[in-house]
């Protein structure tokens, strides 16, 4: 099963990706997570990525395409994969089309005021668990941190870039009959049920 979870920053891609891959036993490929790991390791790629990410800007397509081509060659992708945060430009989508058949693109559509609250309230653990001080607060004994790009100024830039780049990608996948738009601002369980309904009828 080759899937893409799409949506503005804060739409719930990472949250629902974890539930989907647990159910379907496919790898969760998040370009954001890959880049944050490189930043944490202090690699050359990480140093480059840091400046783009802190400003809320997209990395150049050639860097991202290289990462994806390499990742798809790994053994765990043989039975499928779930992309989160990729493709983010039409160039990335067209490149992906040359190397993989995408069965479904699920777009989590949310209102901006909800996105802003979700992102300013997001807290993470070092092992990747996602909490939210407003909707799903971390237990008192759990150590959490806030992402560097989850401040209001950077969030607004990330949202702007999303809306500037999304429409040609949506047209591209709608043209292939693989595009499903769902309400991402419902409760987490309800959104996941809708995703499962789509994946079970494919
Ligand atoms: P990336 O890491 O992909 O970030 P993003 O797209 O901005 O998305 P987020 O991870 O912020 O949001 P999400 O949709 O996963 O939300 P989440 O599930 O955590 O990219 C970061 C940066 O890396 C980019 O800005 C760019 O610089 C670079 N980059 C990455 N990929 C790239 C690419 N392909 N090309 C170029 N550059 C790239 O949920 C958010 C919060 O809401 C959480 O607290 C969660 O608990 C809560 N929540 C979620 N769903 C619900 C719900 N239904 N009800 C209540 N709360 C909810």
């Amino acid at each position: 099963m080759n899937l893409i979870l799409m949506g503005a920053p804060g739409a719930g891609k990472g949250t629902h990706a974890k539930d989907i891959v647990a159910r379907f036993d496919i790898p969760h490929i998040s370009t954001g997570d890959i880049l944050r790991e490189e930043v944490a390791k202090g690699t050359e790629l990480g140093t480059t990525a840091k400046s783009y990410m802190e400003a809320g800007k997209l990395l150049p397509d050639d860097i991202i395409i290289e990462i994806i081509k390499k990742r798809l060659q790994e053994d765990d992708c043989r039975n499928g994969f779930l992309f989160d945060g990729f493709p983010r430009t039409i160039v990335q989508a067209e490149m992906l089309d040359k190397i993989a058949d995408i069965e479904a693109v699920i777009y989590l559509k949310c209102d901006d005021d909800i996105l802003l609250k979700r992102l300013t309230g997001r807290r993470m653990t070092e092992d990747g668990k996602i909490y939210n001080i407003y909707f799903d607060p971390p237990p008192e004994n759990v150590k959490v941190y806030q992402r560097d790009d989850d401040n209001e100024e950077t969030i607004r830039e990330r949202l702007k870039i999303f809306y500037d780049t999304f429409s040609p990608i949506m047209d591209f996948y709608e043209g292939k009959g693989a595009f499903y738009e769902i309400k991402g601002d419902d409760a987490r369980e309800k959104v996941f049920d809708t995703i499962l309904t789509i994946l079970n009828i494919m």
Side-chain angles (χ1 to χ4, degrees):
M1 195 180 263
N2 298 344
L3 308 173
I4 298 174
L5 205 50
M6 214 167 250
K13 303 181 295 295
T15 299
H16 298 296
K18 288 179 177 39
D19 295 335
I20 296 170
V21 299
R23 179 72 68 109
F24 293 97
D25 197 22
I26 51 176
H28 170 199
I29 305 178
S30 156
T31 38
D33 287 349
I34 293 171
L35 295 170
R36 277 184 290 277
E37 276 167 30
E38 295 293 327
V39 173
K41 285 192 267 179
T43 62
E44 200 181 324
L45 169 59
T47 308
T48 305
K50 194 171 192 290
S51 58
Y52 286 95
M53 294 169 88
E54 281 181 355
K57 308 273 186 210
L58 296 181
L59 270 83
D61 287 329
D62 56 341
I63 295 182
I64 299 294
I65 287 169
E66 203 49 47
I67 291 173
I68 292 297
K69 281 186 172 163
K70 218 164 125 195
R71 182 63 185 85
L72 285 183
Q73 280 167 9
E74 289 180 34
D75 280 351
D76 63 344
C77 292
R78 264 184 303 193
N79 295 324
F81 49 79
L82 171 67
F83 282 127
D84 153 8
F86 173 86
R88 251 180 157 101
T89 65
I90 188 66
V91 173
Q92 293 178 15
E94 284 169 348
M95 180 288 299
L96 179 62
D97 194 49
K98 293 192 184 121
I99 59 171
D101 287 326
I102 299 300
E103 285 148 85
V105 178
I106 298 176
Y107 169 47
L108 303 167
K109 189 172 188 328
C110 290
D111 284 345
D112 278 4
D113 48 351
I114 289 186
L115 295 172
L116 198 63
K117 191 158 183 187
R118 282 186 183 174
L119 290 173
T120 51
R122 174 166 56 188
R123 300 291 183 274
M124 328 266 294
T125 62
E126 288 298 340
D127 61 356
K129 195 155 177 12
I130 306 171
Y131 290 101
N132 195 288
I133 57 170
Y134 305 115
F135 308 112
D136 178 19
E140 255 176 45
N141 57 340
V142 170
K143 197 167 169 247
V144 291
Y145 72 95
Q146 189 169 18
R147 262 171 52 174
D148 289 340
D149 57 352
D150 278 349
N151 61 79
E152 193 167 334
E153 190 189 345
T154 311
I155 292 168
R156 290 199 185 281
E157 179 64 16
R158 287 158 61 200
L159 288 173
K160 181 182 174 304
I161 290 179
F162 174 78
Y163 293 117
D164 285 349
T165 51
F166 180 59
S167 132
I169 304 176
M170 182 175 79
D171 293 346
F172 182 79
Y173 287 112
E174 269 184 341
K176 292 180 176 294
F179 190 82
Y180 301 85
E181 177 178 311
I182 66 173
K183 240 169 107 25
D185 37 20
D186 281 334
R188 178 175 173 169
E189 299 70 24
K190 192 169 175 201
V191 177
F192 188 55
D193 277 351
T194 311
I195 292 173
L196 286 183
T197 305
I198 292 170
L199 297 181
N200 287 329
I201 56 158
M202 271 174 34

